[in-house]
Amino acid sequence: MKNGKRLAHFLLHLHPATVNEHALRPSFTWCMGGIAFFLFMLETVTGVLLMFYYRPTVESAYQDVLDLRDVVSLGVFRELHRWGGHAMVIAVVLHMYRVFLTGSYKAPREFNWCIGVLLLLLVLALSFTGYLLPWDQLSYWAITVAANLAGDARPLLLGGDSVAEETLNRFYVLHCLALPLLAAVLMSLHFWHVRKDGISGPPL
Ligand code: HEM
């Protein structure tokens, strides 16, 4: 197959030949899945920009975050990243609620519901790991309390007995690399299934 034809086939797969009318109605989908995806892209772009400045060490983390607020030009990306993260958690929960209300978790979409549950856990884990990175009193004690609830998994979570530089390093790698990559893979699978199963419709 020639390259031009291959591209045309790929584009045809991106844009379906037919779309059900209700799938385009925001009153049906609330557009929350799309908004959650948009926020994920926003978090990725602003997060990469923050990585150029923020250093995950006990000596610099807190000061770097203060400098992002007070000194660094375009430090506003930190605010966008923080508020975008909160908004994404809300969007994903509302998306799940819409899917539940319209009964869209039923066959043949039950597998996509399960992928969705994993995505929700990942988004919560992203929010949790990001919370420690400013390394202020609030984040330090919040993670200490959460780790106390983790029982035997505590050393695995913290990388030691208490919240320290090992924890900061562990959370940084999870937050910036492992969790977003896993989320991207699961989102691809999620979208492929949305396309394969089609968007559900209102009850007839
Ligand atoms: C990062 C998180 C997520 C993203 C970006 C995402 C994205 C999307 C998008 C764009 C759609 C197309 C229709 C729509 O916007 O409603 C969709 C559909 C769907 N999502 Fe999600 N989703 C996420 C999390 C979840 C969660 C937490 C669940 C449930 C536990 C879920 C279950 C489903 C199901 C079952 C459908 C098919 C709905 C239908 O056919 O009416 N998703 N998702």
Side-chain angles (χ1 to χ4, degrees):
M1 200 190 296
K2 286 215 173 95
N3 276 348
K5 265 199 167 166
R6 250 192 224 120
L7 182 68
H9 273 250
F10 178 69
L11 290 177
L12 278 175
H13 275 85
L14 281 183
H15 300 281
T18 55
V19 182
N20 287 331
E21 212 185 311
H22 57 261
L24 300 173
R25 263 197 280 129
S27 59
F28 182 73
T29 62
W30 300 356
C31 208
M32 275 304 148
I35 290 174
F37 180 61
F38 167 78
L39 288 169
F40 179 74
M41 299 307 286
L42 178 81
E43 290 303 275
T44 307
V45 173
T46 52
V48 169
L49 290 175
L50 288 175
M51 286 173 78
F52 279 103
Y53 197 86
Y54 170 88
R55 290 161 296 172
T57 62
V58 166
E59 290 77 33
S60 25
Y62 180 60
Q63 192 55 47
D64 285 353
V65 172
L66 288 188
D67 287 353
L68 277 162
R69 189 190 64 192
D70 300 327
V71 185
V72 180
S73 20
L74 297 180
V76 71
F77 282 122
R78 193 241 158 181
E79 308 305 325
L80 267 179
H81 193 75
R82 192 178 176 87
W83 286 103
H86 294 321
M88 188 171 172
V89 172
I90 295 171
V92 172
V93 170
L94 283 178
H95 171 58
M96 188 176 182
Y97 183 51
R98 184 296 280 180
V99 169
F100 173 73
L101 284 184
T102 53
S104 312
Y105 52 83
K106 294 178 196 159
R109 296 178 185 81
E110 66 274 41
F111 181 67
N112 222 12
W113 171 268
C114 296
I115 298 173
V117 172
L118 293 179
L119 277 171
L120 174 74
L121 294 177
L122 277 178
V123 170
L124 293 178
L126 275 164
S127 179
F128 178 69
T129 48
Y131 205 74
L132 183 69
L133 303 186
W135 201 247
D136 54 15
Q137 287 291 315
L138 193 63
S139 54
Y140 182 89
W141 291 109
I143 304 305
T144 301
V145 171
N148 287 342
L149 298 174
D152 289 345
R154 187 188 150 100
L156 183 72
L157 184 69
L158 300 185
D161 287 336
S162 60
V163 177
E165 179 131 331
E166 290 77 11
T167 322
L168 187 56
N169 188 57
R170 199 161 279 211
F171 276 41
Y172 181 72
V173 175
L174 283 171
H175 186 78
C176 302
L177 199 75
L179 297 175
L181 274 180
L182 203 55
V185 170
L186 284 181
M187 271 181 219
S188 310
L189 203 59
H190 196 61
F191 297 155
W192 175 58
H193 264 272
V194 169
R195 167 57 51 84
K196 200 160 93 60
D197 305 333
I199 302 273
S200 64
L204 295 170

